[in-house]
């Protein structure tokens, strides 16, 4: 990976994405903020940031990626926020910093900033996480969800019906999440266990905040979801969304094959 250099297009991007710098990027800058990539990015969640940066390049926009670490100043600009999963120790290391920026994050969510929060960050954006031992850890309260730790993990491939079309991914979580009354889920489970293995829901959504347990990472296998988030971010950043033509043949075939394999249709 390239060394992050403030102000460069390829800030904190891998070489394969940075190599796209020769493509035209004259439709404006879109700033992506990855929250806690060291502490909260397991099971391939970093791939979501790489996917969005690459697709912005292909669409003709200039991606600027900010990695936000605990204790660091908040980036001057944010058009889309990403967060991933982590171990309990990782969640503990980001708690103080997350609380420091809690009001800002709530204001950005209420203002319609697009966000994608996966697994551990999904739980921290909820009302509370109650550990197996019964300790109640408060969340940001952006999502009306409550999570309890379980001794049994929910693991395996998932297919969802969502507002972005069918979504495929892989879940791996011990937390069991329950939606509050009136809380919109991210999707309905067609295969897999979802939030808790019993109510048929997966993830949660408030405005443009999308939260899910799906790793994989989720975005490369679901281009419609990736572009749905980018459209919101680009319109906020530049006033318009002018997508380029992207050949998603391979991603589409892989997506469809996974749906057929799991649903038999």
């Amino acid at each position: 990976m390239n060394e992050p250099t403030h102000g460069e297009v390829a800030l904190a991007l891998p070489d394969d994405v940075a190599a796209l710098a020769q493509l035209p990027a004259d439709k404006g800058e879109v700033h992506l903020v990855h929250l806690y990539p060291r502490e909260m990015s397991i099971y391939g969640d970093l791939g979501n940031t790489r996917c969005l940066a690459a697709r912005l390049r292909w669409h003709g926009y200039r991606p600027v990626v900010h990695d936000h670490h605990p204790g660091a100043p908040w980036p001057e600009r944010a058009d889309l926020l990403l967060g991933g999963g982590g171990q309990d120790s990782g969640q503990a290391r980001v708690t103080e910093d997350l609380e420091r920026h809690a009001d800002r994050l709530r204001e950005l969510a209420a203002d319609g900033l697009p966000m994608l929060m996966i697994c551990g960050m999904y739980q921290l954006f909820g009302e509370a996480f109650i550990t197996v031992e019964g300790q109640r850890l408060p969340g940001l309260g952006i999502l009306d969800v409550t999570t309890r730790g379980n001794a049994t993990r929910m693991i395996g491939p998932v297919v969802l019906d969502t507002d972005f079309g069918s979504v495929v991914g892989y879940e791996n979580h011990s937390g069991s999440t329950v939606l509050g009354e009136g809380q919109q889920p991210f999707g309905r489970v067609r295969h897999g266990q979802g939030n808790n293995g019993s109510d048929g829901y997966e993830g949660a959504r408030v405005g443009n905040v999308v939260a899910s347990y799906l790793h994989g990472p989720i975005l490369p296998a679901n281009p419609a979801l990736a572009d749905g988030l980018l459209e919101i971010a680009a319109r906020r950043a530049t006033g318009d969304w002018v997508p380029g033509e992207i050949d998603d043949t391979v991603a589409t075939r892989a997506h469809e094959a996974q749906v057929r394999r799991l649903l038999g249709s």
Side-chain angles (χ1 to χ4, degrees):
M1 177 177 290
N2 293 343
E3 289 298 324
T5 304
H6 182 70
E8 289 188 354
V9 176
L11 181 67
L13 295 183
D15 291 340
D16 54 344
V17 176
L20 299 174
Q22 77 278 10
L23 297 178
D26 54 3
K27 298 177 182 175
E29 289 185 351
V30 178
H31 288 236
L32 311 176
V33 177
H34 188 156
L35 300 175
Y36 318 121
R38 289 184 307 215
E39 295 83 4
M40 304 293 291
S41 184
I42 60 175
Y43 308 135
D45 294 336
L46 177 61
N48 290 326
T49 302
R50 294 179 175 182
C51 173
L52 291 178
R55 294 189 74 84
L56 281 169
R57 269 296 191 196
W58 293 331
H59 283 306
Y61 292 87
R62 178 184 172 93
V64 180
V65 178
H66 306 270
D67 288 345
H68 177 71
H69 301 291
W74 187 256
E76 294 183 1
R77 178 174 162 185
D79 300 315
L80 194 157
L81 264 60
L82 298 115
Q87 305 292 343
D88 289 351
S89 58
Q91 294 193 32
R93 286 197 294 272
V94 307
T95 298
E96 183 177 346
D97 188 80
L98 197 63
E99 177 59 29
R100 188 157 64 95
H101 297 290
D103 289 342
R104 186 196 314 272
L105 291 167
R106 295 186 190 106
E107 291 171 1
L108 291 173
D111 189 49
L113 192 84
M115 304 182 187
L116 177 66
M117 296 298 144
I118 302 297
C119 200
M121 289 301 291
Y122 166 27
Q123 297 171 351
L124 292 174
F125 267 52
E127 294 291 341
F129 177 79
I130 302 170
T131 68
V132 175
E133 295 78 18
Q135 182 182 6
R136 184 182 180 88
L137 305 176
L140 295 178
I142 293 174
L143 303 166
D144 185 11
V145 304
T146 300
T147 301
R148 292 180 179 273
N150 285 319
T152 303
R153 300 190 71 84
M154 288 173 266
I155 303 173
V158 176
V159 179
L160 307 175
D161 283 336
T162 78
D163 293 340
F164 300 91
S166 67
V167 166
V168 300
Y170 194 89
E171 62 183 337
N172 186 352
H173 56 105
S174 59
S176 179
T177 299
V178 175
L179 306 179
E181 185 176 356
Q183 170 64 59
Q184 178 185 353
F186 169 49
R188 291 185 176 274
V189 177
R190 299 188 68 191
H191 183 93
Q193 302 193 67
N195 280 333
N196 50 54
S198 60
D199 65 10
Y201 296 132
E202 203 288 325
R205 182 177 180 185
V206 170
N208 294 324
V209 178
V210 173
S212 173
Y213 275 116
L214 300 194
H215 298 283
I218 185 173
L219 293 183
N222 299 283
L225 174 58
D227 280 0
L229 294 170
L230 287 180
E231 177 176 357
I232 301 166
R235 288 190 185 280
R236 291 175 61 95
T238 70
D240 203 356
W241 168 242
V242 186
E245 293 187 7
I246 297 179
D247 183 359
D248 282 325
T249 301
V250 173
T252 300
R253 286 178 178 172
H255 181 114
E256 292 174 347
Q258 183 73 327
V259 173
R260 286 196 302 272
R261 185 177 75 85
L262 296 174
L263 302 184
S265 59

